[in-house]
Amino acid sequence: MSGDFAFLPFIFASLMGLSILIYVVLDGFDLGIGILFPLTKDKMQQDQMIATIGPFWDANETWLVLAVGLLLVAFPVAHGIILSALYLPVFVLLFGLILRGVSFEFRAKADIRHKARWDFAFFAGSLMASLAQGFMLGIYIMGLQFTAVAIVFACLTALCLTSGYALIGAGWLILKTENDLQTQAIDWARKALWLSLIGMVAVSVASPLADPRIFEKWFSVPEIILLAPLPILSFICFAALWIVLRRLPKWGDSFSWLPFNLTMALFALAYIGLAYSFYPYVVPGQMTVYEAAAAPESLVIILIGAVFVLPMILGYTALSYYIFRGKLTELRYD
């Protein structure tokens, strides 16, 4: 790529990374609601859980569409390699998202005799999507290799990312609900916290061990000193979250925003660490963003479009969260 346009692959990699991070946080909490859904048998509480994500869940998935779209148009060769290697988990992910979306709408209108089936479909779709994303993350970290070790590690990351989604989903319920459901959500968050911690530690250990280049990026001098704030801040967030979840019932609802925000900070720190580890590679160990980038002329046109589209997506996302801020109110379809 010519020197005049050498910055474009970095810009698109950054936009794609930002889209993935926003998707993981926003769609993560409504996937988490689906994962937690069967833990209460109280139909009113289940309706409340659904209502907390009613205004947001479909718009949250826009960020996944944007991330995959950017990968396709800006890095078409990498798009083919990654999605070909992850064909089966991508299929499971898409099937889960479709099942979840259909069940979300149908359960609100279904006859009482059939509502339980749609409730199960909502849970199953959320679980499938979460496990598929975690499995894809593990295989990506292991260099898109389907060895026995890579598959075992991918299964571990699938469970741990699912637990992370349950954690941020519980944090959302703590923020948006009150009384018994909020109390249950605090208990769910306490249990999900530890498996999420295991997942972050596993990814942090496996990434440098899987790739000597990543090991060198983290443990050479002065990088090891400059990067020390990332694990330190992650530990502080985990410790603060553990303390808050233990004390929150005594502190009252004034601090109900803390678990969700601390979990968002954990997700952001973990993502920054992963982004630093793999950059400039878009296909781990095989292809950099500069090698995979589309023609400069195409990137310029796509960037012009992104300048208009991205603020619109950010705008309506921010507006929806502003309009539906505060505690839960009744979800109505009339």
Side-chain angles (χ1 to χ4, degrees), residues 79-95:
H79 176 274
I81 294 173
I82 293 172
L83 293 192
S84 296
L86 300 174
Y87 186 85
L88 182 58
V90 167
F91 172 80
V92 175
L93 168 63
L94 294 177
F95 185 82

Side-chain angles (χ1 to χ4, degrees), residues 141-199:
I141 290 172
M142 299 302 287
L144 299 177
Q145 302 297 317
F146 281 85
T147 63
V149 172
I151 292 174
V152 170
F153 177 73
C155 290
L156 174 63
T157 56
L159 291 173
C160 293
L161 182 64
T162 299
S163 180
Y165 283 162
L167 175 62
I168 198 169
W172 180 254
L173 289 176
I174 294 169
L175 173 65
K176 299 294 287 185
T177 63
E178 298 174 296
N179 304 321
D180 291 344
L181 182 54
Q182 186 186 62
T183 301
Q184 288 192 66
I186 293 171
D187 183 59
W188 296 335
R190 290 172 182 168
K191 294 174 181 176
L193 177 63
W194 297 108
L195 190 55
S196 303
L197 174 60
I198 292 171

Side-chain angles (χ1 to χ4, degrees), residues 82-151:
I82 293 172
L83 293 192
S84 296
L86 300 174
Y87 186 85
L88 182 58
V90 167
F91 172 80
V92 175
L93 168 63
L94 294 177
F95 185 82
L97 292 176
I98 293 170
L99 181 61
R100 185 179 65 133
V102 170
S103 60
F104 186 96
E105 297 296 338
F106 273 69
R107 74 174 299 277
K109 303 173 179 66
D111 187 274
I112 190 67
R113 296 171 298 173
H114 306 300
K115 191 172 182 178
R117 299 176 186 176
W118 292 114
D119 287 345
F120 178 78
F122 177 65
F123 161 70
S126 300
L127 184 63
M128 289 171 63
S130 301
L131 290 173
Q133 289 179 27
F135 187 86
M136 291 162 62
L137 173 63
I139 293 296
Y140 185 84
I141 290 172
M142 299 302 287
L144 299 177
Q145 302 297 317
F146 281 85
T147 63
V149 172
I151 292 174

Side-chain angles (χ1 to χ4, degrees), residues 23 29 58 94 139-140 229 238 264 284 287 305:
Y23 168 78
F29 76 73
D58 49 352
L94 294 177
I139 293 296
Y140 185 84
F238 264 112
M264 281 200 302
M287 185 177 295

Side-chain angles (χ1 to χ4, degrees), residues 288-326:
T288 68
V289 295
Y290 302 98
E291 295 168 338
E297 296 81 5
S298 300
L299 293 181
V300 170
I301 294 173
I302 298 166
L303 182 60
I304 294 172
V307 168
F308 290 96
V309 172
L310 189 59
M312 292 177 63
I313 299 175
L314 285 169
Y316 75 65
T317 299
L319 180 62
S320 65
Y321 280 86
Y322 176 77
I323 291 174
F324 295 101
R325 66 192 182 279

Side-chain angles (χ1 to χ4, degrees), residues 8-26 63-72 74-75 140 267-276 278-279 281-282 289 310 314:
L8 287 176
F10 175 78
I11 289 178
F12 279 99
S14 300
L15 289 176
M16 186 173 67
L18 177 64
S19 301
I20 294 173
L21 175 59
I22 295 176
Y23 168 78
V24 167
V25 171
L26 297 187
W63 294 101
L64 178 62
V65 176
L66 178 62
V68 175
L70 287 172
L71 177 64
L72 172 62
F75 309 104
Y140 185 84
F267 273 65
L269 289 168
Y271 189 80
I272 291 170
L274 279 175
Y276 172 78
F278 287 98
Y279 182 81
Y281 285 89
V282 64
V289 295
L310 189 59
L314 285 169

Side-chain angles (χ1 to χ4, degrees), residues 193 196-197 200 233-243 266:
L193 177 63
S196 303
L197 174 60
M200 286 192 66
L233 287 173
S234 297
F235 174 79
I236 291 173
C237 285
F238 264 112
L241 190 52
W242 181 73
I243 293 171
L266 278 172

